[in-house]
């Protein structure tokens, strides 16, 4: 074996790291795509109805998030509920949404929640003829987030595909 055959060339290293980058971007794209697809909001009839009689105890923690270089906070509501068939746990509205007048629940006031037990999220809250949190608002919030993840995943997969094409031409 000659010394020229045993020594890797700089193009071999570039191809190796290009392949590692390609696999990483493709995996990231698949993860984002699958997260977006599984994060689609459920249909209204798939949600669990929970009836509660006021007053309603709740906490309002501050949630911190990071999206790229942007950092931010929003306040949410954590409401302990007993969900039929799923037990007792805390639920909250989708990020940045709010259940109005939750602090002003009277003793004996009936509130109906539409809850997704899998995500522990409240999609609608009504009391009598008043809507405290609209299903349409929750649906739009979840769709916007899900669609963003799907688009980012498809973009990463597209970039990986273009990179694979350029790697193939280089070899």
């Amino acid at each position: 074996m000659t010394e020229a055959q045993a020594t890797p060339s700089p193009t071999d290293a570039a191809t190796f790291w290009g392949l590692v980058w390609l696999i990483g971007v493709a995996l990231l794209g698949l993860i984002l795509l699958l997260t977006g697809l599984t994060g689609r909001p459920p249909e209204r009839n798939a949600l669990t109805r929970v009836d509660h009689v006021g007053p309603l105890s709740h906490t309002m923690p501050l949630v911190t998030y990071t999206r790229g270089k942007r950092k931010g906070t929003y306040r949410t509501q954590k409401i302990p509920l007993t969900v039929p068939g799923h037990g007792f746990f805390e639920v909250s509205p989708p990020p940045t949404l709010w259940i109005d007048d939750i602090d002003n629940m009277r003793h004996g006031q009936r509130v109906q929640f539409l809850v997704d037990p899998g995500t522990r999220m409240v999609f609608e809250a009504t009391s009598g003829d008043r809507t405290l949190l609209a299903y349409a608002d929750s649906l739009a919030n979840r769709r916007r987030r899900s669609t963003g993840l799907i688009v980012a995943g498809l973009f990463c997969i597209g970039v990986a595909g273009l990179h694979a094409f350029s790697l193939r031409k280089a070899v």
Side-chain angles (χ1 to χ4, degrees):
M1 184 181 276
T2 66
E3 192 174 312
Q5 291 174 336
T7 307
S9 70
T11 57
D12 291 339
T15 302
F16 171 76
W17 287 112
L19 188 60
V20 169
W21 188 85
L22 167 75
I23 292 169
V25 171
L27 282 175
L28 175 65
L30 285 174
I31 290 169
L32 289 172
L33 182 66
L34 290 175
T35 302
L37 289 173
T38 58
R40 300 298 284 181
E43 294 296 323
R44 185 183 183 97
N45 58 1
L47 297 173
T48 304
R49 181 174 304 277
V50 179
D51 289 320
H52 185 80
V53 178
L56 193 63
S57 65
H58 67 285
T59 58
M60 295 184 295
L62 194 62
V63 177
T64 303
Y65 66 89
T66 304
R67 289 190 187 120
K69 293 182 180 181
R70 285 186 346 181
K71 292 183 180 183
T73 58
Y74 67 91
R75 192 162 294 284
T76 191
Q77 297 161 316
K78 296 282 187 180
I79 306 160
L81 291 175
T82 301
V83 180
H86 297 282
F88 182 80
F89 52 82
E90 285 186 331
V91 296
S92 60
T96 70
L97 292 183
W98 200 255
I99 300 174
D100 294 329
D101 288 338
I102 200 169
D103 296 327
N104 301 326
M105 294 284 158
R106 297 179 318 274
H107 186 71
Q109 183 175 357
R110 181 171 296 264
V111 183
Q112 288 185 340
F113 297 96
L114 287 180
V115 176
D116 180 14
T119 59
R120 297 184 177 197
M121 196 168 293
V122 175
F123 279 85
E124 183 177 85
T126 57
S127 179
D129 59 350
R130 273 190 65 216
T131 301
L132 308 174
L133 173 65
Y135 175 73
D137 293 341
S138 300
L139 189 69
N141 180 291
R142 297 301 296 167
R143 276 192 182 152
R144 187 172 41 251
R145 183 182 187 307
S146 174
T147 302
L149 289 171
I150 290 170
V151 168
L154 289 174
F155 177 77
C156 287
I157 291 171
V159 167
L162 288 174
H163 186 66
F165 184 72
S166 68
L167 276 180
R168 186 173 153 213
K169 280 193 161 198
V171 173

